[in-house]
Amino acid sequence: MNTKIVNFGEILLRLSKPGYQRLTQGHRMLGNYGGSEANTAISLAYLGNNVEYVSRLPYGAMGDAALMHLREYGLNVSHVVRGGERLGTYYFEEAVAMRNSHVIYDRKNSAMYSLKRGMVEWDKVLGDAAVFHCSGITCAISRDSMESTMDALQLAEAKGLTIVCDINYRKNLWGYGMQPHDVIYNMMQYSDIVFGDQNEWEVASGVKHIPFNALDAGYVINREAYQEYFRKMHVLFPKCKKMVMALRNQLASSHHTLTGLLYDAVHDCLYTTKIYDIQPIVDPMGVGDAFVAGYIHAHQKWAADNQYCLDFALSASALKNTIPGDQNLVTEEEIISNLTSSGGRIQR
């Protein structure tokens, strides 16, 4: 039985100033690797999955270094395309107290930006795969990147793969003339599993989201309202069997509440889980990617247990808030332990 999970997207160099400095301050910058799809792929590999990451990277030291980072976590990068001008980057100003975080993308004319249709040998990549994971970000980078994504989706559907779509709406990336709603809506028509936060589901569907105003872990979810919401989503996206929504309320830069929902469209059943009251937040980047990776991993192992898949995915996402950098470097054992413990104890 095929077990390979294919992730398609752009790995980025993340640059930020140390010690909560603004981007306009200081003289030193710290570098990490990020990028939503790469974050998901690395988390999945760290959990022990068979993962192939597909992207395009430039020749030279920067592309080589990014490949070394991916290989360090055990990813198969045999179909990464080489070429293009440069590695994509983003600049991240960390949030602190009442000051929000700030992201500046620098991805135009990157190697992935100029990826052309036909450069990726999709038939070889997907021939022995079980799951294909893609993201709205890859569709936002450029028209070429979007068309490559659609080619992969069509072939993955034809081969009977499980298709996982992360809506991943980033308004500052869309600049080549296509409307985000139209492209993401089309992408989701191929998808068996769709993930997004409440605002991203609104962008994809055009249906206004239900506010999540949890101030602590005692907040009560309006199950009836969400079930009716997802029934509307199933009419719009009939192929989708599992719909996953992350709910986060940012009370302060270092204090968030976080939970998730799972709708089984086949059985018209909504699943809810606990609310994590997380304080302090160490690094919120990649929290959604950790949720997606946790869910894909759980779905591959315990697909029949919807409640456990949701609980596991949320636990993985909550733990990411405690880890600096973009990637969720936690094990299955740690995620399961976090489901039933309050945390903070010494593991001997």
Side-chain angles (χ1 to χ4, degrees), residues 113-172:
Y113 182 95
S114 56
L115 177 77
K116 301 294 184 182
R117 300 177 77 174
M119 284 185 174
V120 177
E121 297 180 291
W122 284 120
D123 197 58
K124 291 183 180 179
V125 172
L126 300 176
D128 60 345
V131 176
F132 176 68
H133 164 261
C134 63
S135 157
I137 291 176
T138 309
C139 290
I141 297 170
S142 67
R143 184 181 293 271
D144 288 324
S145 182
M146 178 271 291
E147 290 176 345
S148 295
T149 303
M150 294 302 173
D151 288 346
L153 284 168
Q154 291 166 11
L155 185 58
E157 182 182 50
K159 289 181 176 293
L161 274 63
T162 297
I163 297 173
V164 182
C165 163
D166 186 348
I167 297 170
N168 251 339
Y169 174 61
R170 302 290 186 270
K171 66 178 181 180
N172 292 335

Side-chain angles (χ1 to χ4, degrees), residues 3 54 66 68 110 147 164 202 213 281 322:
T3 61
V54 180
M68 288 171 63
S110 70
E147 290 176 345
V164 182
E202 180 175 330
N213 300 314
I281 302 289
T322 71

Side-chain angles (χ1 to χ4, degrees), residues 15 30 32 52 65 80 111 114 117 122 172-173 181 195-196 222 246 250 252 257 263-264 296 298 329 337 344:
L15 297 169
L30 304 177
N32 290 295
E52 177 165 2
V80 168
S114 56
R117 300 177 77 174
W122 284 120
N172 292 335
L173 287 179
H181 165 81
F195 172 88
N222 187 338
Q250 302 184 26
T257 54
Y263 178 68
D264 183 334
I296 294 173
L329 306 180
S337 177

